[in-house]
Amino acid sequence: MKKRISVLLLCCIVFISGCNMPGQDDQKIKKLDPEKLDSETTDINDRADYYEKYVTEPGDQMDEEERSKYRVTLHMVYKNAEQYQQDMIIFLRNDNVVEGSMDVGEPDIGLLPGVFRVISMMIEGHDSNLGEIEILEPGMEYTLTIDYAQKKAILSDYDEHK
């Protein structure tokens, strides 16, 4: 009988301590599903619900250190930007929520994961769509090149030595 109680007690301790094991936080920081965010069958409400469940709610439960690990860092490169020094770049999620904005010349921005339309406020007068980017994996770093000659935003892997 004592052995059974000891085994049961040991199982309870292992179960309880297992709930706080390192790596459990990683479960709330998952790569986003592109099919749930950008497919022919999703509408704006589906995307908004998905962001709420997998980006906003987990983000609300994180402390600042966890949120910084969750954010995606974009290292900005501006090509042919001489006449656009007063431009502002806006990151509009594909559920029409503005996630961030920055002035041309700023080197980095941290965004929560998602699918974004990158908008220039000055090309062609105002609100020019420079294209869509997908930054679906939390904690990653990318280079985002804003090429004013091509009127495009180009996402690429981050290379520290650039």
Side-chain angles (χ1 to χ4, degrees):
M1 183 71 164
K2 286 185 180 184
K3 284 185 180 180
R4 285 184 186 166
I5 292 174
S6 297
V7 169
L8 185 59
L9 184 60
L10 182 60
C11 288
C12 288
I13 291 170
V14 169
F15 176 76
I16 290 169
S17 64
C19 290
N20 292 323
M21 288 179 65
Q24 292 292 328
D25 287 342
D26 294 343
Q27 290 181 350
K28 64 183 172 184
I29 302 176
K30 295 179 181 175
K31 182 175 180 177
L32 300 183
D33 183 349
E35 286 296 311
K36 300 282 186 183
L37 288 175
D38 196 19
S39 74
E40 292 178 15
T41 59
T42 59
D43 66 17
I44 194 165
N45 294 321
D46 296 329
R47 292 188 292 262
D49 291 344
Y50 187 83
Y51 280 116
E52 180 67 25
K53 184 174 181 181
Y54 293 102
V55 178
T56 306
E57 285 178 10
D60 288 346
Q61 297 171 13
M62 295 177 192
D63 61 30
E64 192 52 41
E65 183 179 335
E66 290 172 319
R67 279 181 72 82
S68 70
K69 290 178 186 175
Y70 187 68
R71 285 188 193 100
V72 176
T73 301
L74 299 179
H75 301 281
M76 303 298 293
V77 175
Y78 305 93
K79 284 187 169 180
N80 307 303
E82 296 78 24
Q83 66 185 20
Y84 297 101
Q85 294 302 312
Q86 300 302 310
D87 195 11
M88 177 177 280
I89 304 298
I90 296 174
F91 297 90
L92 183 66
R93 252 178 18 194
N94 66 347
D95 65 343
N96 286 338
V97 171
V98 173
E99 186 64 43
S101 63
M102 62 191 306
D103 294 326
V104 166
E106 290 184 47
D108 299 328
I109 188 169
L111 300 172
L112 295 175
V115 177
F116 297 92
R117 188 170 349 131
V118 183
I119 299 170
S120 161
M121 293 301 291
M122 288 190 69
I123 291 182
E124 299 170 359
H126 65 349
D127 298 351
S128 180
N129 183 357
L130 301 176
E132 260 191 15
I133 60 170
E134 289 186 357
I135 53 174
L136 303 176
E137 193 165 343
M140 297 297 291
E141 292 185 56
Y142 297 98
T143 298
L144 182 65
T145 302
I146 304 295
D147 189 330
Y148 283 93
Q150 293 184 32
K151 298 177 184 167
K152 282 177 86 174
I154 304 153
L155 188 67
S156 58
D157 289 338
Y158 177 62
D159 180 6
E160 274 188 78
H161 298 46
K162 281 188 174 183

